[in-house]
Amino acid sequence: MKKLDENFELHLENQTKAKEADLSDTLSPSKEKSSDDTTDAQMDDHELNEPIAKVALLKADELQGAQSETEAKQEIQQLHKELVEAQELARTSKQKCFELQALLEEERKAYRLQVEESTKQIQILQVGTVRLASMLVRKYNLECLKKKEKMEKLFYSSHILQNSER
């Protein structure tokens, strides 16, 4: 910002020096003679009035330059204000982004823990299901074995009865 101000002031200073150099050229006596029908007196009046007009123009330019300089400084201040606001917005947005990233990471961690806990519970339920199925199979096998023994006893009993009747 300061460098921009210095460059602008240097530019204005160079402009002023160039105008002063222009003015000194017009104030120095002219070595060329005009071949017009004007007299020396008319030429002198013309030469005297021309620098006055140039001085007036230079003063007007200088006044306009000062106004332009003021306008430029105001514009620079406005741009600087906008820059500061944009930087603040960027900083705030960056901070919000970090906060959201932290929240997201916490959610991911909580999700992972929940998945691990659910996996453990599923494994426990699977083990319980396998045990229950195993118990049911044994119970069924015992019932089948008991029925078989009953049937065999009945068969032997009936077979013995039949043999004894003969």
Side-chain angles (χ1 to χ4, degrees), residues 13 19 34 49 54 62 80 88 90 103 107 113 161:
E13 190 177 311
K19 288 179 183 177
S34 174
N49 288 335
K54 283 195 175 191
E62 189 176 311
H80 179 56
E88 180 62 24
L103 283 174
E107 288 292 323
L113 290 173
L161 273 176

Side-chain angles (χ1 to χ4, degrees), residues 87-99:
Q87 287 172 334
E88 180 62 24
L89 179 63
R91 187 189 65 73
T92 304
S93 297
K94 189 175 183 179
Q95 182 63 32
K96 285 181 182 178
C97 181
F98 287 141
E99 290 170 4

Side-chain angles (χ1 to χ4, degrees), residues 132-155:
L132 182 60
S134 177
M135 284 178 18
L136 288 174
V137 167
R138 273 189 255 137
K139 185 176 178 184
Y140 176 76
N141 286 342
L142 281 174
E143 288 176 7
C144 286
L145 188 58
K146 285 180 184 178
K147 284 182 183 180
K148 183 180 175 188
E149 285 176 0
K150 253 186 187 181
M151 297 280 275
E152 285 177 356
K153 281 182 186 178
L154 282 174
F155 177 74

Side-chain angles (χ1 to χ4, degrees), residues 20-154:
E20 287 174 359
D22 244 6
L23 181 60
S24 68
D25 286 348
T26 58
L27 291 176
S28 63
S30 176
K31 295 184 179 174
E32 296 176 13
K33 296 293 178 188
S34 174
S35 61
D36 290 342
D37 292 337
T38 59
T39 64
D40 286 341
Q42 287 174 330
M43 188 62 126
D44 288 341
D45 283 344
H46 178 66
E47 286 177 358
L48 288 175
N49 288 335
E50 188 176 313
I52 292 172
K54 283 195 175 191
V55 167
L57 282 174
L58 286 175
K59 285 185 179 182
D61 283 349
E62 189 176 311
L63 181 61
Q64 186 179 6
Q67 289 173 343
S68 295
E69 182 179 348
T70 303
E71 290 171 0
K73 283 183 180 180
Q74 288 174 346
E75 187 174 345
I76 289 170
Q77 287 174 345
Q78 178 63 30
L79 290 172
H80 179 56
K81 181 182 173 187
E82 290 175 14
L83 174 64
V84 168
E85 289 172 358
Q87 287 172 334
E88 180 62 24
L89 179 63
R91 187 189 65 73
T92 304
S93 297
K94 189 175 183 179
Q95 182 63 32
K96 285 181 182 178
C97 181
F98 287 141
E99 290 170 4
L100 288 174
Q101 285 177 335
L103 283 174
L104 179 62
E105 191 56 38
E106 286 177 23
E107 288 292 323
R108 286 179 177 162
K109 191 182 250 181
Y111 177 74
R112 269 183 267 159
L113 290 173
Q114 186 178 11
V115 166
E116 288 174 11
E117 187 62 32
S118 296
T119 302
K120 287 176 186 175
Q121 289 176 354
I122 288 170
Q123 289 171 345
I124 290 170
L125 289 172
Q126 285 175 335
V127 167
T129 304
V130 168
R131 285 183 183 161
L132 182 60
S134 177
M135 284 178 18
L136 288 174
V137 167
R138 273 189 255 137
K139 185 176 178 184
Y140 176 76
N141 286 342
L142 281 174
E143 288 176 7
C144 286
L145 188 58
K146 285 180 184 178
K147 284 182 183 180
K148 183 180 175 188
E149 285 176 0
K150 253 186 187 181
M151 297 280 275
E152 285 177 356
K153 281 182 186 178
L154 282 174

